Amino acid sequence: MLDNISSTKVSGGWHKQYSHQASSTHCAMRFAIFLPPDTNENNKVPVLYWLSGLTCNDENFMQKAGAFKKAAELGIAIVAPDTSPRGDNVPDQDSYDFGQGAGFYVNATQAPYNTHYNMYDYVVNELPAIISEHFPVNDKKAIAGHSMGGHGALMIALRNPKNYVSASAFSPIVNPINCPWGEKAFSHYLGDDKNTWAQYDSCELIKHASSAHYIPIRVDQGEADNFLTEQLKTENLFNVASQKNYPIEINIHPGYDHSYFFISSFIDQHLQFHHQHLSA
Ligand SMILES: N[C@@H](CCC(=O)N[C@@H](CS)C(=O)NCC(=O)O)C(=O)O
């Protein structure tokens, strides 16, 4: 059952928020959906899933990215889940980069996180099933995200290339097994065995990808992003993609930082990129 929290008309379509009891994360989860104008059973639309970054919930992208006009024009629904399980019973830590608001889109294997922190299953399986049951969408899906959500979008698309026609990311954490944010999150959620970490690392997944399952990927990165050198490591993605001839377009933008100002500057291009594949 879905509880409707809000419905707001925007760009001729609707922005709506919902809450529901999730079986993968064993807690109430909130998500937001944008439905473009004239979406109905006779006019089903494709869906772009958007995964947000550290500290975010379903609202940051919807309020700050400025995506609605273009998505309305192109006829694309956008679904933005929360970034972690939440609630009083959900284990947390007093830090912005771990725990609630920082689920890293993995299935945790370690206590006390393994009951609730199953964002991989939630995003890959549970949420798409809910969206197709309750909304007039077709079976075409693309996935995008920012920072931790950029890691989520690339990693999920690389592991499930048949589910998504295309993937894109702003400022993604491309090699979480080799950066402080990823090392902290993966050691708590997944334990010490680094072999299990690799299945959630985009660079590692590309290293082992078979060209029969390549999908088109676009990445945009601000050169003035404070997290670029220590956390994001776009260069590692460039190197591994070049070695494997993986079809990734990487655009570096002088002057732009890590914020939603950057995302809002290039979101139209990402929507256009996905539209090309969603409507093929
Ligand atoms: N200094 C930031 C670090 C976290 C951060 O930059 N979060 C990014 C994603 S990694 C974000 O989207 N923040 C929320 C926003 O800008 O709306 C904070 O504490 O919020």
Side-chain angles (χ1 to χ4, degrees):
M1 204 189 77
L2 294 184
D3 283 333
N4 181 227
I5 298 168
S6 76
S7 294
T8 310
K9 191 162 184 181
V10 56
S11 296
W14 287 90
H15 172 269
K16 299 176 182 227
Q17 289 171 295
Y18 291 88
S19 170
H20 68 109
Q21 200 59 38
S23 55
S24 42
T25 57
H26 299 100
C27 67
M29 294 293 295
R30 215 170 69 177
F31 69 84
I33 184 167
F34 170 72
L35 292 164
D38 305 320
T39 305
N40 57 54
E41 286 305 317
N42 298 319
N43 182 35
K44 293 185 171 184
V45 292
V47 183
L48 174 66
Y49 284 83
W50 174 269
L51 306 182
S52 284
L54 294 167
T55 74
C56 293
N57 56 26
D58 67 287
E59 295 187 336
N60 304 67
F61 176 82
M62 293 302 198
Q63 294 179 1
K64 293 178 165 180
F68 301 134
K69 271 190 197 158
K70 196 59 164 183
E73 180 194 316
L74 299 174
I76 301 174
I78 303 175
V79 172
D82 204 343
T83 57
S84 76
R86 288 186 201 265
D88 293 343
N89 297 328
V90 174
D92 198 10
Q93 259 189 18
D94 193 15
S95 59
Y96 80 97
D97 57 2
F98 182 77
Q100 295 190 33
F104 274 83
Y105 306 100
V106 303
N107 288 334
T109 56
Q110 305 299 299
Y113 303 106
N114 50 350
T115 307
H116 300 283
Y117 284 83
N118 295 311
M119 289 300 290
Y120 180 85
D121 277 351
Y122 180 72
V123 170
V124 174
N125 300 312
E126 186 169 3
L127 186 58
I130 287 169
I131 298 301
S132 62
E133 186 187 340
H134 293 276
F135 299 95
V137 297
N138 64 32
D139 57 7
K140 291 272 179 74
K141 296 196 290 275
I143 191 162
H146 172 227
S147 195
M148 173 185 74
H151 139 70
L154 300 184
M155 174 273 288
I156 283 173
L158 289 164
R159 286 180 59 161
N160 303 276
K162 292 191 180 132
N163 291 12
Y164 304 94
V165 298
S166 47
S168 75
F170 289 90
S171 335
I173 305 168
V174 300
N175 196 190
I177 65 172
N178 284 319
C179 78
W181 278 340
E183 284 164 2
K184 177 175 176 181
F186 286 11
S187 61
H188 285 95
Y189 293 138
L190 304 172
D192 295 335
D193 180 5
K194 295 209 171 176
N195 289 324
T196 62
W197 296 18
Q199 60 186 314
Y200 293 110
D201 185 285
S202 293
C203 284
E204 289 296 312
L205 290 165
I206 288 174
K207 250 186 228 169
H208 300 107
S210 130
S211 59
H213 301 298
Y214 283 2
I215 64 166
I217 294 178
R218 172 176 174 142
V219 168
D220 287 76
Q221 176 62 52
E223 220 171 35
D225 184 329
N226 288 336
F227 298 118
L228 178 54
T229 316
E230 193 189 5
Q231 305 281 10
L232 307 176
K233 307 200 176 198
T234 318
E235 205 180 323
N236 295 4
L237 180 71
F238 178 83
N239 289 339
V240 75
S242 306
Q243 280 158 23
K244 294 277 298 191
N245 276 328
Y246 202 105
I248 300 189
E249 176 188 336
I250 301 177
N251 304 295
I252 305 293
H253 301 278
Y256 287 92
D257 67 12
H258 193 66
S259 71
Y260 270 89
F261 290 110
F262 173 48
I263 296 171
S264 69
S265 303
F266 296 97
I267 191 65
D268 284 5
Q269 283 94 321
H270 279 234
L271 288 164
Q272 196 72 54
F273 166 76
H274 291 296
H275 173 66
Q276 212 182 303
H277 302 291
L278 289 166
S279 59

